[in-house]
Amino acid sequence: MTETFVVVGGDAAGMSAASKAKRDDPDREVIVFEKGEWVSYAACGMPYYVKGAVDELDDLVTVTPEEFREERDVDLRTGAEVVDVDTELQTVTVETDDGTDEQPYDDLLVATGASAIEPPFEGLGLEGVFTIHDMDEADAIEEYVTVHGPETAAIVGGGYVGIEMAEALSARGVDVHLYEMLPHVLQPFGEAVAAVVEDHLREQGVDLHLETAVSGFVGDERVDGVELEDEVVAADIAIVGVGVAPNTDLAEAAGIELGPTGAVATDEYGRTNDENVYAAGDCAEATHVVTGEPDHVPLALTANRAGRAIGQTVTGDPTPVGEIAGTAIVKAFDLGAARTGIVDEERAREAGFDPVSVTISASTRAHYYPDGAELTVTLVADRESGRLLGGTVVGREGAKRIDTVTTALTADMTVTELQNADLAYAPPFSPVWDPILTAAKVLAGKLE
């Protein structure tokens, strides 16, 4: 009898799993239910569509629905929302414009993603107030900027979305005010990165309002101001980017357990507490490579990798979804900033480590070779074991060097082992001692 693999959610994790399962077992019935119309799209590219660096919204689509259906033989059903899962009967209830149906499954993947957090602000429903977490939102922002030509933007939140949208709207000629209630932007990156990025944002004309809480937005039908504790600042477009929350309602209602982070708890194969139900992507936890504990870091590679692994597992080749290091990189105008592992010393102590850190600055190229740039590197290690715990980099070039640190974390390397890594050298690409090696060398000395 042909087995059926049902996937709920048609983006990174869901479509990766569906494609891999069908490729490995062409006779298996693979059905994907997606409540919207967009599938397999690059959400990380949406700010660059608003900026104008990406010409068409459709350019962000990796694989079209037609390609999934016709070339990959995946039964993709858009406009179909799964509203209930019965784990005893192994069925899902699906609502479409044509009514409600039941679909049996042998294996089920919950890949319901995450949603933008909407704080309890007054005025969130005003025209010109947006979050940006899906394609329709990106399209609406671009259209609003084109049609209404706003002069001043209020961006709430100094994380990835806030920084990227500050660049995007500045490129469209909008005067940007960025509001962050914490002392620094990019809080997960640490103060060394934040200080460099904040100076650069100000150089680019962004008005930073740090340690500033927003209480809401004002206007008649369309936003015309952002409300702070003691004043209202003019704004004729507002972007709220204060984070995301995993979409777990469907799984939780079906008796699927959540983990300590509030996302769906999974084992090393992405399996939940029900042996026939898997979870992956922004709705699911993963194991952190440094702590060995569950974590929730909703990023694209994590989703794609886990989905692909689950596609292999359900077709008979058990494949771990892999651990995560929370590796992330963001473009802030002319800067690149990146982080991996544990860089917050308080969090490191909570995980049982005795953290020691160093921050150094070094050129990305040989000192005599033109166009080099200063790269600031922070590394954190455990004092007793010398084990590397995490790191950050920030500069006008070289931010992808964070991948070297991530590789060291994945290999459970000590700082001395990283210091002795045989990295490539040529003057156009690096000094003899790459900035990562220099930071490791200085940190190793501090640990002695």
Side-chain angles (χ1 to χ4, degrees):
M1 180 182 293
T2 301
E3 293 191 350
T4 301
F5 178 38
V6 170
V7 177
V8 184
D11 200 13
M15 298 317 297
S16 293
S19 296
K20 184 59 177 173
K22 194 66 178 180
R23 186 181 306 120
D24 286 5
D25 185 1
D27 293 331
R28 183 177 297 262
E29 185 175 21
V30 178
I31 305 171
V32 180
F33 295 108
E34 166 54 49
K35 68 179 182 180
E37 297 300 324
W38 297 96
V39 300
S40 192
Y41 59 88
C44 298
M46 293 188 299
Y48 305 108
Y49 169 68
V50 175
K51 179 181 178 180
V54 177
D55 292 333
E56 302 291 339
L57 192 61
D58 285 343
D59 292 342
L60 299 179
V61 176
T62 306
V63 183
T64 67
E66 293 73 25
E67 288 171 330
F68 278 115
R69 295 174 183 129
E70 297 170 9
E71 298 178 13
R72 304 193 181 188
D73 198 24
V74 172
D75 185 354
L76 170 62
R77 307 179 193 182
T78 56
E81 181 177 7
V82 174
V83 295
D84 185 63
V85 176
D86 189 323
T87 56
E88 291 188 8
L89 295 178
Q90 291 188 210
T91 62
V92 297
T93 302
V94 186
E95 288 186 355
T96 67
D97 289 342
D98 297 325
T100 302
D101 289 309
E102 303 288 324
Q103 171 63 54
Y105 66 83
D106 293 288
D107 293 294
L108 174 69
L109 170 60
V110 177
T112 45
S115 296
I117 294 172
E118 294 189 356
F121 290 162
E122 294 290 333
L124 272 179
L126 290 170
E127 185 182 0
V129 178
F130 302 94
T131 58
I132 178 167
H133 195 65
D134 63 38
M135 295 280 270
D136 291 332
E137 291 171 336
D139 200 29
I141 294 170
E142 197 285 328
E143 181 180 9
Y144 191 88
V145 173
T146 299
V147 172
H148 297 289
E151 295 182 356
T152 305
I155 296 178
V156 183
Y160 312 110
V161 169
I163 299 297
E164 291 169 346
M165 287 304 298
E167 177 181 337
L169 292 178
S170 291
R172 298 291 296 270
V174 183
D175 182 26
V176 174
H177 291 251
L178 191 151
Y179 300 88
E180 170 55 61
M181 65 183 300
L182 297 174
H184 295 286
V185 301
L186 295 176
Q187 185 272 335
F189 290 65
E191 291 186 15
V193 170
V196 176
V197 171
E198 287 163 6
D199 286 346
H200 186 63
L201 291 175
R202 294 186 181 102
E203 290 171 1
Q204 297 295 320
V206 175
D207 288 303
L208 288 182
H209 304 261
L210 303 176
E211 297 184 275
T212 302
V214 169
S215 56
F217 305 101
V218 298
D220 293 329
E221 295 182 357
R222 184 182 300 168
V223 65
D224 60 28
V226 56
E227 189 171 9
L228 309 179
E229 183 178 0
D230 53 2
E231 64 175 323
V232 174
V233 180
D236 40 14
I237 185 172
I239 310 293
V240 179
V242 295
V244 299
N247 294 328
T248 59
D249 289 349
L250 180 69
E252 192 172 13
I256 303 302
E257 294 178 359
L258 306 186
T261 70
V264 178
T266 60
D267 68 10
E268 64 176 320
Y269 298 100
R271 187 180 283 109
T272 69
N273 58 299
D274 186 296
E275 64 177 357
N276 299 112
V277 179
Y278 299 79
D282 292 359
C283 68
E285 292 183 336
T287 300
H288 198 284
V289 71
V290 176
T291 67
E293 298 296 326
D295 205 348
H296 180 239
V297 185
L299 295 171
L301 178 59
T302 304
N304 279 277
R305 187 182 62 192
R308 187 178 191 276
I310 290 167
Q312 291 177 261
T313 296
V314 300
T315 55
D317 179 18
T319 304
V321 298
E323 296 180 322
I324 61 170
T327 309
I329 189 167
V330 63
K331 182 177 182 294
F333 291 86
D334 298 327
L335 289 179
R339 54 96 58 222
T340 191
I342 298 179
V343 297
D344 180 77
E345 294 194 6
E346 182 177 348
R347 184 185 175 195
R349 281 188 283 270
E350 290 173 354
F353 300 108
D354 182 7
V356 180
S357 65
V358 297
T359 298
I360 64 98
S361 293
S363 176
T364 56
R365 309 182 188 192
H367 71 276
Y368 52 82
Y369 196 89
D371 299 326
E374 183 177 274
L375 189 70
T376 299
V377 181
T378 297
L379 293 181
V380 183
D382 177 53
R383 184 184 302 276
E384 181 177 349
S385 65
R387 180 186 176 189
L388 186 68
L389 302 180
T392 65
V393 299
V394 61
R396 290 180 179 268
E397 70 170 14
K400 277 287 283 180
R401 278 179 162 93
I402 199 68
D403 292 339
T404 301
V405 183
T406 302
T407 302
L409 293 177
T410 305
D412 200 17
M413 292 172 67
T414 66
V415 174
T416 299
E417 289 171 333
L418 174 58
Q419 170 193 312
N420 292 333
D422 187 18
L423 301 188
Y425 157 67
F429 304 104
S430 171
V432 174
W433 283 90
D434 184 88
I436 298 297
L437 298 183
T438 297
K441 181 173 59 173
V442 174
L443 183 52
K446 192 172 181 179
L447 289 171
E448 291 177 355

